[in-house]
C-alpha cells in the first residue's frame, strides 16, 4: 500500500540539504538502492546519513518497526510503501520485497529500504543486499542503531560494564522456520555474562530452561524491554527463572536481556516512563508478607 507523505516546508528541506552538503554526504543517485537502519524507535536515533536518505529517495519501502515520524522527511512526490514483517501477523513476503527493490531500481528510481534498528543485525538486510548484488543493482548500506544497544540504553541497561562483563552475546530466538534456532547453549551459558535476545518472546521460557540446565542461576537478573525507545516503552525486570512467564505477559516487539547488568538499571534508569514492573521486587515483597 502506498501512502502520501506529509511534506516538509521549503526551509526545512533546505536545512537538511545544507547539512548533507556540509558533511559531504554521498549523493543518492537514480537506480541505486540504499538499505538503511532507522534505529529502534525514537526518530532522533536515525543517523544523519539515514535522514539524508529519507529526504532524497523517490520510493521508500519501510518496515513495521520504523517510526512513521521519519516519513515526514520524504521529498515531495515520494512514494511510501509499507513492507513490514511481524511475527504472527500477515506480512509481506521477503521474496516479493526483494523483487520490488530490483524492479524499482531498474526503473531509475532512488530506492530506500528503511528498516528498524540496523539492517545487518537480524534485519534481513544481508538477504536483500545479496539479491541486489546478484541482479547487478548498485546499493549502499546505511547502518543504524540496533535495539540491542540503543533500546537497552533507553531502559538504563548497559550491555557492557567493566565490573560485570567483558563479553556480550546477541542471539535471535526466531529462526527462518519460526522455531528456536539450534545453538550451543552450553557455550553461550559459559561464555557470555550478558546475553541479548532478539525476537525471543515466544521461546523465552524454553531459552531460560536451556540456560539454567547449562548452569546459569534461576535467580539471575533479566529484563524485557517492550517498544524500546518509543513513547510507550515498557520495562519489566525479572529473573531468568521467571523470564518465560514475564515475556508472555509483555507487549511485542520486545528485546530481552539476561545478566548482572540488568541490576544497574536501578541507578541508570534515566528515561521517565509510566510502565515499569519489577518482578524481583514484587516477589521479595510477597515473600516478606508471607513470613
Amino acid at each position: 500500500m502506498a501512502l502520501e507523505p506529509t511534506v516538509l516546508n521549503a526551509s526545512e528541506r533546505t536545512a537538511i540539504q545544507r547539512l548533507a552538503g556540509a558533511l559531504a554526504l554521498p549523493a543518492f543517485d537514480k537506480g541505486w538502492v540504499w538499505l538503511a537502519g532507522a534505529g529502534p524507535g525514537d526518530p532522533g536515533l536515525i543517523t544523519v546519513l539515514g535522514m539524508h536518505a529519507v529526504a532524497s529517495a523517490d520510493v521508500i519501502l519501510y518496515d513495521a518497526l520504523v517510526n512513521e515520524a521519519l516519513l515526514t522527511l520524504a521529498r515531495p512526490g515520494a512514494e511510501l510503501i509499507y513492507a513490514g514483517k511481524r511475527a504472527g501477523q500477515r506480512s509481506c513476503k521477503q521474496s516479493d520485497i526483494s523483487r520490488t527493490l530490483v524492479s524499482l531500481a531498474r526503473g531509475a528510481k532512488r530506492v530506500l529500504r528503511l528498516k528498524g534498528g540496523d539492517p545487518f543485525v537480524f534485519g534481513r538486510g544481508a538477504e536483500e543486499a545479496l539479491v541486489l548484488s546478484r541482479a547487478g543493482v548498485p546499493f549502499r548500506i546505511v547502518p543504524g542503531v540496533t535495539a540491542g544497544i540503543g533500546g537497552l540504553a533507553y531502559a538504563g541497561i548497559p550491555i557492557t560494564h567493566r565490573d560485570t562483563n567483558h563479553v556480550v552475546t546477541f542471539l535471535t530466538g526466531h529462526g527462518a522456520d519460526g522455531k528456536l534456532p539450534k545453538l550451543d547453549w552450553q557455550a553461550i551459558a559459559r561464555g557470555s555474562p550478558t546475553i541479548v535476545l532478539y525476537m525471543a518472546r515466544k521461546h523465552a521460557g524454553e531459552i531460560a530452561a536451556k540456560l539454567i540446565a547449562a548452569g546459569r542461576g534461576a535467580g539471575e537478573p533479566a529484563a524485557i524491554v517492550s517498544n524500546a525507545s518509543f513513547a510507550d516503552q515498557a520495562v519489566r525486570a525479572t529473573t531468568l527463572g521467571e523470564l518465560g512467564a514475564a515475556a508472555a505477559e509483555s507487549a511485542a516487539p520486545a528485546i530481552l536481556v539476561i545478566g548482572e547488568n540488568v541490576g544497574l538499571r536501578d541507578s541508570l534508569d534515566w528515561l521517565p516512563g509510566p510502565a515499569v514492573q519489577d518482578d524481583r521486587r514484587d516477589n521479595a515483597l510477597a515473600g516478606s508478607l508471607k513470613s
Side-chain angles (χ1 to χ4, degrees):
M1 179 178 63
L3 300 176
E4 277 297 320
T6 301
V7 180
L8 297 182
N9 62 42
S11 62
E12 291 168 331
R13 291 197 57 77
T14 299
I16 295 176
Q17 292 166 354
R18 289 181 62 187
L19 180 60
L23 297 178
L25 299 182
F28 194 164
D29 293 327
K30 291 181 180 294
W32 278 67
V33 176
W34 285 21
L35 303 168
D42 185 335
L45 294 181
I46 194 170
T47 66
V48 177
L49 185 55
M51 181 174 66
H52 167 56
V54 174
S56 303
D58 298 316
V59 185
I60 302 173
L61 286 81
Y62 64 98
D63 273 354
L65 299 183
V66 169
N67 191 319
E68 293 192 11
L70 291 171
L71 302 179
T72 65
L73 302 176
R75 64 190 301 165
E79 183 180 9
L80 306 182
I81 303 174
Y82 176 79
K85 300 179 71 64
R86 292 288 293 274
Q89 299 181 20
R90 187 175 181 179
S91 303
C92 303
K93 291 182 179 180
Q94 185 61 54
S95 58
D96 291 340
I97 295 171
S98 297
R99 280 195 297 268
T100 299
L101 294 175
V102 171
S103 176
L104 289 169
R106 286 177 172 169
K109 301 286 187 181
R110 302 178 185 91
V111 185
L112 175 62
R113 179 72 170 107
L114 190 61
K115 308 171 80 71
D118 181 287
F120 272 14
V121 182
F122 303 121
R124 297 177 178 163
E127 296 177 36
E128 294 169 355
L130 285 170
V131 171
L132 295 170
S133 178
R134 291 165 185 152
V137 173
F139 63 90
R140 174 182 288 274
I141 306 300
V142 182
V145 178
T146 186
I149 297 176
L152 293 184
Y154 268 54
I157 302 172
I159 62 167
T160 64
H161 188 288
R162 63 181 181 173
D163 292 336
T164 58
N165 71 307
H166 297 89
V167 177
V168 60
T169 294
F170 296 92
L171 62 87
T172 177
H174 188 89
D177 58 1
K179 298 179 181 179
L180 181 65
K182 294 180 180 180
L183 302 173
D184 187 341
W185 295 102
Q186 291 282 342
I188 293 170
R190 291 194 310 269
S192 187
T194 300
I195 303 172
V196 180
L197 303 103
Y198 291 69
M199 298 174 284
R201 275 194 343 111
K202 180 180 178 181
H203 301 299
E206 184 181 357
I207 292 169
K210 290 181 180 295
L211 290 172
I212 292 171
R216 301 292 280 250
E220 184 175 358
I224 303 160
V225 183
S226 301
N227 298 315
S229 82
F230 278 93
D232 58 348
Q233 171 180 291
V235 182
R236 182 163 185 161
T238 185
T239 62
L240 182 57
E242 298 295 327
L243 185 61
E249 296 174 358
S250 298
I255 199 88
L256 282 60
V257 57
I258 301 162
E260 295 300 324
N261 288 5
V262 173
L264 298 176
R265 185 177 186 279
D266 294 338
S267 299
L268 300 180
D269 181 18
W270 60 272
L271 182 68
V276 177
Q277 183 167 342
D278 193 329
D279 293 345
R280 300 167 301 165
R281 178 196 60 208
D282 296 343
N283 290 339
L285 178 60
S288 65
L289 292 175
K290 288 180 180 178
S291 61

